CSV table of all heavy atoms in Angstrom, one decimal:
chain,number,residue,atom,x,y,z
A,187,HIS,N,-1.3,-36.8,35.5
A,187,HIS,CA,-2.2,-37.8,35.6
A,187,HIS,C,-3.1,-38.0,34.5
A,187,HIS,O,-3.4,-39.1,34.1
A,187,HIS,CB,-2.8,-37.6,37.0
A,187,HIS,CG,-2.1,-37.9,38.1
A,187,HIS,ND1,-2.5,-37.5,39.4
A,187,HIS,CD2,-1.0,-38.5,38.4
A,187,HIS,CE1,-1.6,-38.0,40.3
A,187,HIS,NE2,-0.7,-38.5,39.7
A,188,PRO,N,-3.6,-36.9,34.0
A,188,PRO,CA,-4.6,-36.9,32.8
A,188,PRO,C,-4.0,-37.8,31.6
A,188,PRO,O,-4.7,-38.5,31.1
A,188,PRO,CB,-5.0,-35.7,32.4
A,188,PRO,CG,-4.8,-34.9,33.6
A,188,PRO,CD,-3.6,-35.5,34.4
A,189,VAL,N,-2.7,-37.6,31.2
A,189,VAL,CA,-2.2,-38.3,30.1
A,189,VAL,C,-1.6,-39.6,30.5
A,189,VAL,O,-1.7,-40.4,29.7
A,189,VAL,CB,-1.1,-37.4,29.4
A,189,VAL,CG1,0.0,-37.2,30.3
A,189,VAL,CG2,-0.7,-37.9,28.1
A,190,GLU,N,-1.1,-39.7,31.7
A,190,GLU,CA,-0.4,-40.9,32.0
A,190,GLU,C,-1.4,-42.0,32.5
A,190,GLU,O,-1.2,-43.3,32.3
A,190,GLU,CB,0.6,-40.7,33.3
A,190,GLU,CG,1.7,-39.9,32.9
A,190,GLU,CD,2.4,-39.3,34.0
A,190,GLU,OE1,2.0,-39.6,35.2
A,190,GLU,OE2,3.5,-38.5,33.8
A,191,GLU,N,-2.6,-41.5,33.1
A,191,GLU,CA,-3.4,-42.5,33.6
A,191,GLU,C,-4.8,-42.6,33.1
A,191,GLU,O,-5.4,-43.7,33.0
A,191,GLU,CB,-3.7,-41.9,35.2
A,191,GLU,CG,-4.5,-42.8,36.1
A,191,GLU,CD,-4.8,-42.2,37.4
A,191,GLU,OE1,-3.8,-41.4,37.7
A,191,GLU,OE2,-5.8,-42.5,38.0
A,192,ILE,N,-5.4,-41.5,32.4
A,192,ILE,CA,-6.7,-41.4,32.1
A,192,ILE,C,-6.8,-41.4,30.5
A,192,ILE,O,-7.7,-42.1,30.0
A,192,ILE,CB,-7.5,-40.2,32.6
A,192,ILE,CG1,-7.4,-40.1,34.1
A,192,ILE,CG2,-8.9,-40.3,32.2
A,192,ILE,CD1,-7.9,-38.9,34.8
A,193,TYR,N,-5.8,-40.7,29.8
A,193,TYR,CA,-6.0,-40.7,28.3
A,193,TYR,C,-6.2,-42.0,27.7
A,193,TYR,O,-7.0,-42.2,26.8
A,193,TYR,CB,-4.9,-39.9,27.8
A,193,TYR,CG,-5.1,-39.4,26.4
A,193,TYR,CD1,-5.7,-38.1,26.2
A,193,TYR,CD2,-4.9,-40.1,25.3
A,193,TYR,CE1,-5.9,-37.6,24.9
A,193,TYR,CE2,-5.2,-39.8,24.0
A,193,TYR,CZ,-5.6,-38.5,23.7
A,193,TYR,OH,-5.9,-38.0,22.6
A,194,VAL,N,-5.3,-43.0,28.1
A,194,VAL,CA,-5.3,-44.3,27.5
A,194,VAL,C,-6.7,-45.0,27.7
A,194,VAL,O,-7.1,-45.7,26.9
A,194,VAL,CB,-4.1,-45.2,28.0
A,194,VAL,CG1,-4.3,-45.4,29.5
A,194,VAL,CG2,-4.0,-46.4,27.1
A,195,ASP,N,-7.2,-44.7,28.8
A,195,ASP,CA,-8.5,-45.3,29.2
A,195,ASP,C,-9.7,-44.9,28.3
A,195,ASP,O,-10.6,-45.5,28.3
A,195,ASP,CB,-8.7,-45.1,30.7
A,195,ASP,CG,-9.8,-46.1,31.3
A,195,ASP,OD1,-9.5,-47.3,30.9
A,195,ASP,OD2,-10.7,-45.8,32.0
A,196,VAL,N,-9.5,-43.6,27.8
A,196,VAL,CA,-10.6,-43.1,27.0
A,196,VAL,C,-10.3,-42.9,25.6
A,196,VAL,O,-11.1,-42.4,24.7
A,196,VAL,CB,-11.0,-41.6,27.7
A,196,VAL,CG1,-10.1,-40.6,27.2
A,196,VAL,CG2,-12.5,-41.4,27.3
A,197,GLU,N,-9.1,-43.3,25.1
A,197,GLU,CA,-8.6,-43.1,23.9
A,197,GLU,C,-9.5,-43.6,22.7
A,197,GLU,O,-9.7,-42.9,21.7
A,197,GLU,CB,-7.2,-43.5,23.7
A,197,GLU,CG,-6.5,-43.0,22.5
A,197,GLU,CD,-4.9,-43.3,22.5
A,197,GLU,OE1,-4.5,-43.9,23.5
A,197,GLU,OE2,-4.2,-42.7,21.7
A,198,ASP,N,-9.8,-44.9,22.9
A,198,ASP,CA,-10.7,-45.4,21.9
A,198,ASP,C,-12.1,-44.6,21.6
A,198,ASP,O,-12.6,-44.4,20.6
A,198,ASP,CB,-11.1,-46.9,22.3
A,198,ASP,CG,-9.9,-47.8,21.9
A,198,ASP,OD1,-8.9,-47.3,21.4
A,198,ASP,OD2,-10.1,-49.0,22.1
Side-chain angles (χ1 to χ4, degrees):
H187 287 170
V189 67
E190 295 165 358
E191 179 183 337
I192 304 173
Y193 195 96
V194 67
D195 200 46
V196 78
E197 191 166 14
D198 281 3

